[in-house]
């Protein structure tokens, strides 16, 4: 993106944020790539190494072998990273300190918004979380560091200590429904916000990608910060095709 267009866009995004009263920040994998977690679809992303069709909820339930493959993929990807919040997460947390943030709606499972300082109750995790796993039979929860230690010690398929049930990560797999109460609240807030800001999402995963459409239908302004084009670019009031970790702190600085 040409520098003068970017500088102009930054100013306009800052002005919209200053005017706005209920801001939703909607994030995807792109907000965390600068923390060292690859996204799914960019070149070199997670789906260039693994076949998404294999990692479904139905497969996970079907066989011990499928569960072994799921856990191995997670061990070698999400559980192998030790990410810290990057300047984009910190800028979003700063919006909360400035009293601007209605909430963060995230497709991410990494917990980095909370780690950056956004209060737990203001983060809606549409696709669940990797911060814990739980037993599908008795519901017992296991903090992910415990599971990670078990995998590192040679356990291939974690089972529940209480009832030997299937232990599943707190993330939503393909083929699994989104948590209905989280989706309902995110939808309600998207329909009543006055500024919806997309950060690092390809906007191709549904139903999450419907939320900016609901916001637009309700008259909210739309800001998109993403490296690649999305299908809503033409409807954005401000479009910043740039790295979130560089652009967001600059937008917040311009507001201040
Ligand atoms: P995606 O992989 O489909 O798209 C990510 C988008 O972010 C791309 O359009 C890319 O151009 C953009 N991007 C990459 N780095 C960026 C940066 N530094 N600044 C700005 N934009 C950047 O991801 P998605 O739309 O979020 O959807 C896919 C699914 O991926 C979600 O379900 C999510 O749960 C899952 N996921 C989560 C994580 C995580 O928790 N960190 C990581 C990978 C995938």
């Amino acid at each position: 993106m040409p520098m003068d267009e970017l500088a102009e866009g930054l100013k306009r995004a800052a002005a919209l944020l200053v005017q706005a009263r209920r801001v939703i920040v909607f994030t995807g994998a792109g907000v965390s790539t600068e923390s060292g977690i690859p996204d799914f679809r960019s070149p070199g992303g997670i789906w260039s190494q693994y076949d998404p069709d294999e990692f479904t909820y139905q497969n996970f339930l079907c066989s011990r072998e499928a569960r072994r493959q799921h856990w191995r993929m997670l061990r070698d990807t999400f559980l192998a990273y030790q990410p810290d919040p990057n300047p984009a997460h910190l800028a979003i947390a700063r919006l909360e300190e400035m009293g601007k943030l209605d909430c963060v709606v995230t497709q991410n499972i990494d917990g980095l918004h909370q780690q950056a300082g956004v209060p737990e109750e203001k983060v809606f995790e549409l696709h669940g979380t990797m911060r814990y796993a739980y037993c599908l039979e008795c519901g017992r929860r296991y903090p992910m560091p415990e599971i990670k230690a078990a995998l590192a010690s040679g356990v291939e398929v974690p089972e529940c200590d209480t009832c030997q049930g299937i232990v599943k990560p707190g993330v939503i797999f393909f083929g699994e429904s989104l948590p209905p109460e989280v989706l309902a609240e995110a939808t309600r807030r998207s329909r009543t916000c006055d500024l919806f800001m997309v950060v690092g999402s390809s906007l191709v995963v549904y139903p999450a990608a419907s939320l900016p459409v609901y916001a637009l239908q309700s008259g909210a302004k739309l800001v998109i910060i993403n490296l690649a084009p999305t299908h809503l670019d033409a409807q954005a009031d401000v479009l910043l095709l740039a790295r979130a970790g560089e652009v967001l702190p600059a937008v917040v600085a311009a507001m201040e």
Side-chain angles (χ1 to χ4, degrees):
M1 192 173 189
M3 286 307 281
D4 51 343
E5 258 181 54
L6 186 63
E8 183 54 33
L10 286 175
K11 267 196 247 161
R12 284 194 295 125
L16 286 179
L17 279 160
V18 167
Q19 283 159 22
R21 302 215 337 257
R22 289 182 309 282
V23 176
I24 292 190
V25 179
F26 174 86
T27 62
V31 79
S32 294
T33 52
E34 290 164 77
S35 294
I37 309 177
D39 62 20
F40 276 165
R41 292 179 180 76
S42 293
I46 291 171
W47 291 149
S48 60
Q49 300 164 51
Y50 296 93
D51 177 1
D53 292 340
E54 285 178 19
F55 296 95
T56 63
Y57 186 48
Q58 289 68 23
N59 281 353
F60 187 81
L61 294 184
C62 257
S63 74
R64 194 170 192 283
E65 175 53 23
R67 289 193 284 286
R68 197 176 67 80
Q69 281 177 21
H70 269 80
W71 279 113
R72 199 168 52 177
M73 184 275 268
L74 292 170
R75 186 197 67 191
D76 294 344
T77 55
F78 288 102
L79 293 175
Y81 312 133
Q82 291 186 327
D84 288 317
N86 68 51
H89 297 105
L90 297 174
I92 294 165
R94 180 75 193 121
L95 288 177
E96 162 63 10
E97 282 170 13
M98 293 163 84
K100 282 291 169 188
L101 199 61
D102 180 80
C103 66
V104 173
V105 177
T106 188
Q107 299 172 87
N108 293 347
I109 55 178
D110 53 35
L112 289 176
H113 289 298
Q114 298 90 324
Q115 225 175 294
V118 180
E120 198 70 46
E121 68 277 8
K122 284 204 168 183
V123 182
F124 294 90
E125 295 174 309
L126 292 173
H127 296 160
T129 177
M130 270 304 271
R131 290 183 290 166
Y132 65 82
Y134 67 101
C135 172
L136 291 177
E137 316 300 322
C138 73
R140 179 172 165 187
R141 274 195 186 191
Y142 294 87
M144 203 50 90
E146 250 180 62
I147 300 283
K148 202 174 155 176
L151 295 171
S153 74
V155 171
E156 289 196 309
V157 183
E159 284 176 356
C160 181
D161 294 336
T162 308
C163 72
Q164 280 70 57
I166 294 176
V167 170
K168 178 187 169 293
V171 294
I172 306 299
F173 286 161
F174 289 115
E176 192 179 359
S177 301
L178 270 56
E181 65 294 351
V182 176
L183 181 61
E185 187 59 14
T187 301
R188 189 187 69 74
R189 286 173 184 246
S190 300
R191 289 191 194 280
T192 53
C193 70
D194 55 6
L195 174 60
F196 194 99
M197 183 156 70
V198 174
V199 184
S201 176
S202 55
L203 298 180
V204 298
V205 179
Y206 285 84
S210 303
L211 298 177
V213 177
Y214 299 149
L216 279 171
Q217 284 168 350
S218 310
K221 303 281 185 203
L222 179 66
V223 173
I224 298 181
I225 301 175
N226 205 50
L227 277 180
T230 77
H231 71 105
L232 287 183
D233 288 0
Q235 295 182 65
D237 294 278
V238 179
L239 173 65
L240 297 167
L241 288 168
R243 287 159 69 92
E246 290 165 10
V247 162
L248 261 175
V251 170
V252 170
M255 290 169 73
E256 289 177 317

